[in-house]
Amino acid sequence: MEIEKKMAALELTLPAPPTPAAHYIPYVRVGNLLFVGGNTGRLNGQPHKYVGKVGGQVTLEQGYEMARHCALNHLAIIKSALGDLDRVERFVKLIGYVNAAPGFTRMPQVVNGASDVFIELWGERGEHARAAVGVASLANDAPVETEVIVQIKE
């Protein structure tokens, strides 16, 4: 429960785990790795707080906030999979997709929203390999989608 204590201290609230929007499952465990599928930052089943392209209808700061929402959803899925966030040994990889307006190239700064959550909570163990990719569109005109791979404590 140490991670959840840190969350409370940082005023971060764990949402309900998002339900899949299509034909897939939220995570797959292979050995001591948990692969968590993509989510677009909808919290507790509510519509996206922001919609559209980052660098267009959505500011970089709003995109960063949506990436933080994605991270919180990942944590909710991880908790549902493992029963306890303290079972995460480390974050291995984060892939972020940014619905980018033409000419927008600051994808890494947007995806930092998710990275920062993991590092704030796990410190060095929250650091991870990463890709931040600009895309032409995302489902429901979401500004950001992320997916993660975590190593589980045995």
Side-chain angles (χ1 to χ4, degrees):
M1 301 308 253
E2 290 302 312
I3 294 298
E4 290 190 52
K5 286 180 188 173
K6 286 183 182 179
M7 288 184 72
L10 294 169
E11 298 182 0
L12 296 174
T13 303
L14 199 62
T19 55
H23 191 130
Y24 63 91
I25 55 178
Y27 62 87
V28 172
R29 182 175 176 173
V30 179
N32 68 342
L33 295 177
L34 188 69
F35 295 78
V36 183
N39 78 73
T40 58
R42 292 178 51 208
L43 295 178
N44 296 312
Q46 297 299 310
H48 292 107
K49 185 172 181 180
Y50 308 108
V51 294
K53 295 188 176 302
V54 181
Q57 306 92 326
V58 178
T59 67
L60 183 139
E61 294 78 16
Q62 291 168 331
Y64 176 95
E65 181 182 348
M66 291 302 295
R68 287 182 73 83
H69 290 186
C70 291
L72 293 173
N73 278 330
H74 288 308
L75 296 182
I77 292 168
I78 292 166
K79 182 174 180 182
S80 73
L82 304 178
D84 185 352
L85 291 174
D86 292 331
R87 291 193 55 209
V88 172
E89 177 67 33
R90 75 162 299 130
F91 281 77
V92 176
K93 182 141 190 192
L94 166 66
I95 303 170
Y97 307 96
V98 178
N99 184 1
F104 182 80
T105 59
R106 298 184 68 194
M107 285 70 79
Q109 289 83 356
V110 172
V111 179
N112 279 348
S115 294
D116 289 351
V117 169
F118 304 141
I119 294 166
E120 288 166 10
L121 294 171
W122 275 270
E124 191 174 284
R125 295 181 308 131
E127 295 176 349
H128 46 268
R130 188 178 92 175
V133 181
V135 296
S137 65
L138 288 170
N140 300 312
D141 212 17
V144 183
E145 181 170 352
T146 61
E147 57 183 286
V148 297
I149 302 168
V150 297
Q151 179 185 12
I152 302 165
K153 290 180 184 175
E154 293 301 325

